[in-house]
Amino acid sequence: MVQVMEEKQERNIVVFRLNGTLFALDIQNVQEIVQQSDIVSVPGAPTFILGIVNLRGRIMAVVDTKRLLGIGETSTDKVLVMVAQIGEHLVGFTVDEVEQVTRVASDSIEPVSDLVSPEEARRLEGILKLDGKLVLLLDANRLLDEETLEAAMSQQH
Amino acid sequence: MVELSQDELELFVTEAEENIANLENGLLKLEREGDAALVAELFRYAHTLKGSAGAAGLTEMSQLAHAMENLLEEVRNGTRKVTSDLVDTLLECVDMLRAMVLAIQENGKQPDPSMLIKKLSNLSDQQSDSDASDHKPSSPVGEIPVTLNIFIKPECPMPSVRAFQAYLIMSRYGEIVSLEPPVSEIQAGRAKYRLVAKVKLSDDNSLSELEQELTKFDDLVVEVQRQKDGQKVSEIVTAQKEVETSTAPQAELQSVRVSIEQMDALLNLVGELVIERARLERGVRKVAEINGNGIAEELQGVTERVSRIVSQLQESLTRTRMVPLNVVFARFPRLVRELSRSMGKRVQLKIEGEDTEIDRALVEKLNECLVHLVRNAIDHGIEPPDERIAAGKPPEGLIEISASQSEGSVIVVVRDDGRGIDPNKIRRKAIERGLLTEEQASSLSDDEAIQFIFRSGFSTKEEVSEVSGRGVGMDAVKNAMEQIGGTIDLHSQIGAGTTVTLRLPLTLAIIPALLVRVGGRLFALPMHSVTEVLDLQRSDVQEIGTGEKVLVLRGNPLPLFSLAKLLGIPNGRTEGTGVIVRQQEKLIAVSVEAVEGKDEIVIKPLGYPLHNLRSFIGATILGDGSIALIVDLNGVTIRR
């Protein structure tokens, strides 16, 4: 067979669970995963913001990922927070459980079709199958962009 | 280009930037009030720049500076008049020099100044052609030698080398009549920490140049004595003796350069120290509870001293972060000149209080606001000359920027004597935009109506001009000010002009704050907005109508709000303490459960995406590691 010129692209992703659904973020966007117990709520913040935490002397906002994605809400006691680098910002995202860190072929990530609402499709980079299960790959750069924030703010007021 | 070390490069860039800024300021002044001293000053800046660029191997920059020097020389000897065109051209050079320095810093491609150099030399040629005969040879060689006492500071690693360098420089400027110690001694490496040279200079002007070139070495101190005939040399000798006997250098090193990153790192450390201090104090208090005397007492003593030292450290470090407002104001003469010319207006700019200092972290935002306000003043405020004359005003408009410090704040005022803001125009616009009904608009006082200028998307100038732009207007300025914990206040009178007052905090990093308990949690209130704390039980609180409260303070009725309600947090607890705070320049009273104390707090940003939250300027980490939100009383909306 003729050798295919293009090198097979691979990506490292962090797969995590939220209310039974599998999601993933590119590992480039994930700095660490920490257990947090004292999350301080911020009055007047968008509802999808769980609060702020003291991350080694730095204040970081923690997003209730379930609320952000519209799939329920996180109970506040003790949560697992995935610290993500979005642009130049550090933001924490709550997750129920981290499933695995794995390497997948780029071409195994398929574009989001009509399976999801356009609103949801905006936040997704694609969908892939891992051990027979569907994983939604989130687009870190769009997860909290202006549009999302504006939509969230307008819902609130 | 000569390979410069990182340090040398930085030094060169800093010096070049300083010289370029001086050139620019001087040129702007030159157009208005040019005098011989100023021209000489400008000449010196160009000359210094030429020298240092040459030494760094930046031939093109050196050539450009040289061409500027030539033009300035013609101004200095009276063969060229100062015109707007000349200033334009020289300012063009300033821009080019800036671009060149920037390219060096960023390792980018050097812009090519050859066209500009040509333009300058053409200008020079035209002039010298017309009065070639006027070109005087330099003044006759000075008859009286000048005595130079050159002191080499003890920290100079190789005094002989430095002495020899000084010798070479002096010999370029004239004839060295005598030198002590003689050259042979210097060359043999036996130079002392002083040099006494008698030099016959080639002309009078070169003395200051020589002096400047010598003092470019940080470890040289130069003293000039114009020696009259018959003057005793003993004076000089005593001077030398003093230097020899005292180990201290003649002139102390006045300052050192520290990088901003390093400063910030230090400040962060002090911030951590402040937090740990609070933790230590808490710990010692606990020990005192268990062990009333003995070890606790001793610990308390130590803790107190440590606390005091930390406070002082923090204070002096914060002070080092302060920069004079001159760094912001310096660019405005140029901006005003350019804008007013492009709009056919005549504007004089007055700047006052540029020595007032603010936190470096505030500089950028303040600058943003000022650019906006000054643009507005020129575009909307100042009338064209004919209109001003018709209104009985001088044709030249006036914009004043003044800064001062008061009560822990920096106040910056931008005032123009233009046409002012027409409250009726604002009313009409507000109705058009659906912000007000006809009735509401007419019930507003003029001053209240004018405040609508701060609403977002509100702009009254019919056509969108290139200068003021669209959409962003005064609301952007207001937002920027609020983000840094400042306020903005605007007053205007039709025909007389507009005054905008900006109030900024002195520093952003560490502030004194009142810790209050609200809804069972701790919040911090910046002390600069707190005026007093009182017991509500013992105060005159009156209920008006449907649960609205008024606190009568020394006969002054102040609205009283629950801070919990203002912040939108549930509260079922008794709020027995009242705090009087300043909100939008007015006093209001807020009730809290308790005041827990006063503390120096380190402000940390809330982080994305909470950076735009208006109720809080940030959060702070308390002694026990917990977080307290810092309330921005100006950002809290009043709702009951």
Side-chain angles (χ1 to χ4, degrees):
Chain A
M1 219 175 103
V2 187
Q3 203 193 341
V4 186
M5 283 302 291
E6 110 191 27
E7 202 186 316
K8 204 168 175 196
Q9 297 280 331
E10 290 188 325
R11 291 180 58 176
N12 286 308
I13 57 170
V14 182
V15 183
F16 54 93
R17 191 182 290 277
L18 279 171
N19 273 4
T21 311
L22 291 180
F23 290 90
L25 267 178
D26 195 301
I27 202 158
Q28 283 184 348
N29 297 106
V30 181
Q31 182 180 304
E32 63 185 310
I33 290 146
V34 289
Q35 186 84 247
Q36 280 288 353
S37 48
D38 6 86
I39 298 182
V40 175
S41 68
V42 180
T47 49
F48 64 82
I49 299 287
L50 206 53
I52 51 178
V53 292
N54 169 5
L55 185 74
R56 294 185 296 272
R58 181 175 175 167
I59 304 283
M60 177 182 75
V62 175
V63 171
D64 182 344
T65 322
K66 289 179 192 171
R67 270 195 190 262
L68 181 71
L69 299 175
I71 53 167
E73 62 182 273
T74 306
S75 56
T76 45
D77 282 14
K78 208 171 199 184
V79 289
L80 206 54
V81 176
M82 196 158 72
V83 180
Q85 178 102 37
I86 297 183
E88 59 200 34
H89 314 292
L90 274 192
V91 184
F93 289 91
T94 60
V95 298
D96 286 346
E97 206 181 333
V98 174
E99 285 275 316
Q100 57 175 314
V101 178
T102 185
R103 185 185 297 229
V104 296
S106 292
D107 54 17
S108 69
I109 301 166
E110 284 171 38
V112 199
S113 47
D114 341 311
L115 289 166
V116 296
S117 69
E119 196 187 317
E120 206 173 334
R122 263 196 79 248
R123 299 171 179 148
L124 294 177
E125 227 193 296
I127 291 183
L128 66 148
K129 252 189 178 163
L130 213 61
D131 308 327
K133 281 179 269 184
L134 277 183
V135 176
L136 303 175
L137 178 60
L138 293 165
D139 184 340
N141 296 319
R142 284 193 163 171
L143 221 40
L144 278 182
D145 62 3
E146 295 281 323
E147 209 170 311
T148 312
L149 289 183
E150 260 167 46
M153 297 286 187
S154 64
Q155 267 170 25
Q156 219 169 14
H157 298 293
Chain B
M1 178 179 155
V2 179
E3 261 323 304
L4 294 179
S5 73
Q6 194 56 34
D7 281 356
E8 286 170 326
L9 188 72
E10 269 171 33
L11 192 67
F12 169 76
V13 167
T14 325
E15 278 180 4
E17 278 173 345
E18 236 163 69
N19 274 309
I20 294 170
N22 285 338
L23 264 172
E24 181 172 51
N25 288 337
L27 285 169
L28 292 167
K29 245 207 240 157
L30 182 67
E31 197 173 18
R32 198 164 280 287
E33 46 191 307
D35 60 10
L38 181 62
V39 178
E41 206 179 298
L42 283 169
F43 183 84
R44 266 206 310 281
Y45 294 136
H47 183 79
T48 312
L49 201 58
K50 176 179 85 170
S52 59
L58 298 158
T59 324
E60 286 178 325
M61 191 186 292
S62 175
Q63 281 168 351
L64 181 58
H66 179 70
M68 292 174 80
E69 202 185 23
N70 283 347
L71 275 186
L72 287 166
E73 170 60 27
E74 288 171 17
V75 175
R76 183 159 80 169
N77 65 27
T79 54
R80 180 176 292 279
K81 274 213 181 76
V82 177
T83 63
S84 287
D85 282 344
L86 177 75
V87 173
D88 276 345
T89 311
L90 287 169
L91 283 172
E92 223 178 297
C93 298
V94 165
D95 291 339
M96 174 59 82
L97 288 170
R98 256 204 195 115
M100 294 174 101
V101 171
L102 191 71
I104 294 165
Q105 267 175 302
E106 297 180 342
N107 257 325
K109 195 179 171 299
Q110 273 291 322
D112 178 13
S114 56
M115 292 298 285
L116 201 53
I117 294 174
K118 207 176 233 170
K119 188 170 165 186
L120 259 60
S121 65
N122 283 346
L123 268 175
S124 277
D125 287 347
Q126 286 164 21
Q127 198 79 20
S128 46
D129 279 350
S130 61
D131 40 36
S133 58
D134 235 30
H135 233 72
K136 285 178 247 163
S138 48
S139 329
V141 173
E143 291 304 321
I144 306 160
V146 171
T147 303
L148 291 162
N149 282 325
I150 302 171
F151 304 117
I152 302 169
K153 294 187 194 167
E155 67 260 31
C156 178
M158 286 179 288
S160 294
V161 175
R162 190 61 89 231
F164 191 63
Q165 278 173 308
Y167 161 76
L168 287 178
I169 290 168
M170 288 186 292
S171 58
R172 278 218 315 276
Y173 279 86
E175 186 195 335
I176 299 179
V177 184
S178 72
L179 184 65
E180 175 54 42
V183 194
S184 52
E185 285 290 292
I186 295 173
Q187 280 176 310
R190 286 195 287 271
K192 302 269 174 52
Y193 286 102
R194 66 160 206 287
L195 273 181
V196 184
K198 264 193 203 174
V199 188
K200 270 190 189 165
L201 291 169
S202 46
D203 68 85
D204 266 8
N205 295 331
S206 50
L207 179 60
S208 63
E209 286 171 28
L210 169 60
E211 223 185 314
Q212 216 162 36
E213 195 158 341
L214 286 172
T215 47
K216 240 189 256 154
F217 297 108
D218 279 343
D219 42 25
L220 287 188
V221 178
V222 180
E223 208 179 86
V224 180
Q225 289 184 345
R226 245 173 215 287
Q227 210 179 347
K228 298 258 158 57
D229 286 336
Q231 192 192 8
K232 280 173 277 168
V233 193
S234 60
E235 285 167 37
I236 305 165
V237 176
T238 24
Q240 289 161 18
K241 284 240 173 75
E242 267 165 37
V243 170
E244 267 177 323
T245 48
S246 80
T247 43
Q250 186 77 359
E252 292 283 346
L253 216 51
Q254 291 299 315
S255 63
V256 286
R257 250 178 256 277
V258 180
S259 76
I260 284 160
E261 291 82 44
Q262 223 169 335
M263 281 298 311
D264 283 351
L266 277 175
L267 203 74
N268 270 336
L269 284 176
V270 170
E272 300 297 318
L273 206 52
V274 170
I275 291 168
E276 293 305 323
R277 172 185 66 183
R279 196 175 281 175
L280 184 65
E281 283 168 348
R282 212 159 295 205
V284 169
R285 261 200 302 275
K286 268 189 199 146
V287 173
E289 278 164 25
I290 304 164
N291 173 354
N293 38 32
I295 222 165
E297 227 166 80
E298 200 179 323
L299 266 180
Q300 263 168 333
V302 175
T303 312
E304 258 167 46
R305 279 195 296 282
V306 169
S307 293
R308 216 170 34 239
I309 295 167
V310 169
S311 298
Q312 285 165 356
L313 182 63
Q314 179 196 322
E315 208 181 289
S316 41
L317 201 60
T318 307
R319 202 142 283 288
T320 54
R321 259 171 69 111
M322 306 289 269
V323 290
L325 273 172
N326 188 31
V327 300
V328 177
F329 291 173
R331 57 177 298 210
F332 281 89
R334 181 81 185 269
L335 183 80
V336 167
R337 177 179 189 264
E338 238 105 275
L339 286 179
S340 51
R341 277 187 17 148
S342 76
M343 279 180 285
K345 294 178 181 177
R346 287 178 55 192
V347 182
Q348 190 196 345
L349 176 69
K350 257 196 199 164
I351 291 179
E352 254 171 57
E354 62 262 58
D355 295 337
T356 312
E357 291 188 325
I358 62 163
D359 192 317
R360 196 181 50 74
L362 297 170
V363 163
E364 200 181 319
K365 275 276 175 341
L366 175 64
N367 182 53
E368 217 173 90
C369 293
L370 282 180
V371 168
H372 227 94
L373 293 175
V374 169
R375 277 170 183 238
N376 269 344
I378 299 174
D379 194 16
H380 304 304
I382 304 290
E383 315 88 332
D386 46 349
E387 200 180 315
R388 287 183 65 89
I389 292 166
K393 293 179 178 180
E396 192 176 56
L398 179 69
I399 294 179
E400 279 175 288
I401 305 178
S402 60
S404 59
Q405 193 181 319
S406 101
E407 296 168 24
S409 302
V410 172
I411 311 215
V412 180
V413 179
V414 178
R415 177 179 302 137
D416 71 64
D417 70 344
R419 56 170 79 94
I421 299 169
D422 182 348
N424 285 327
K425 236 180 183 171
I426 305 273
R427 285 194 182 94
R428 273 202 304 281
K429 201 83 176 182
I431 295 167
E432 258 172 52
R433 296 273 153 100
L435 296 171
L436 285 177
T437 64
E438 211 68 58
E439 268 167 70
Q440 283 170 323
S442 55
S443 72
L444 286 181
S445 73
D446 283 357
D447 227 26
E448 283 169 332
I450 285 172
Q451 305 308 318
F452 268 81
I453 206 160
F454 291 119
R455 294 291 184 95
S456 73
F458 197 95
S459 174
T460 55
K461 183 110 187 196
E462 262 74 35
E463 333 91 81
V464 174
S465 86
E466 196 194 322
V467 177
S468 302
R470 183 201 295 274
V472 288
M474 293 300 285
D475 59 318
V477 179
K478 191 175 185 208
N479 284 340
M481 286 303 297
E482 283 172 356
Q483 268 175 36
I484 51 176
T487 61
I488 181 166
D489 193 37
L490 181 143
H491 290 285
S492 188
Q493 204 180 346
I494 299 186
T498 303
T499 303
V500 181
T501 308
L502 306 176
R503 184 186 284 268
L504 299 100
L506 265 182
T507 173
L508 273 189
I510 301 175
I511 57 164
L514 199 67
L515 293 175
V516 297
R517 190 165 290 282
V518 175
R521 297 171 48 178
L522 278 186
F523 287 86
L525 298 177
M527 279 309 285
H528 66 79
S529 58
V530 174
T531 62
E532 64 182 287
V533 175
L534 39 83
D535 183 351
L536 284 180
Q537 257 69 53
R538 295 196 202 150
S539 312
D540 183 2
V541 178
Q542 293 177 20
E543 205 148 322
I544 314 246
T546 50
E548 295 187 13
K549 285 179 178 169
V550 168
L551 170 76
V552 185
L553 180 70
R554 292 183 284 275
N556 216 353
L558 304 178
L560 173 65
F561 305 97
S562 152
L563 187 55
K565 271 191 196 158
L566 286 183
L567 295 174
I569 48 179
N571 72 320
R573 300 160 206 247
T574 333
E575 296 181 332
T577 306
V579 182
I580 312 296
V581 294
R582 201 181 289 122
Q583 190 195 43
Q584 317 274 15
E585 305 291 307
K586 282 187 205 111
L587 289 184
I588 63 165
V590 294
S591 57
V592 299
E593 280 154 42
V595 169
E596 298 286 344
K598 200 186 134 188
D599 217 341
E600 297 281 313
I601 59 166
V602 181
I603 304 181
K604 307 211 173 215
L606 288 185
Y608 191 83
L610 296 171
H611 56 292
N612 279 335
L613 213 57
R614 300 188 55 194
S615 317
F616 305 102
I617 50 174
T620 189
I621 297 170
L622 299 173
D624 59 0
S626 68
I627 295 175
L629 287 157
I630 307 164
V631 180
D632 177 1
L633 285 154
N634 286 319
V636 173
T637 33
I638 301 291
R639 56 181 168 208
R640 291 178 189 242

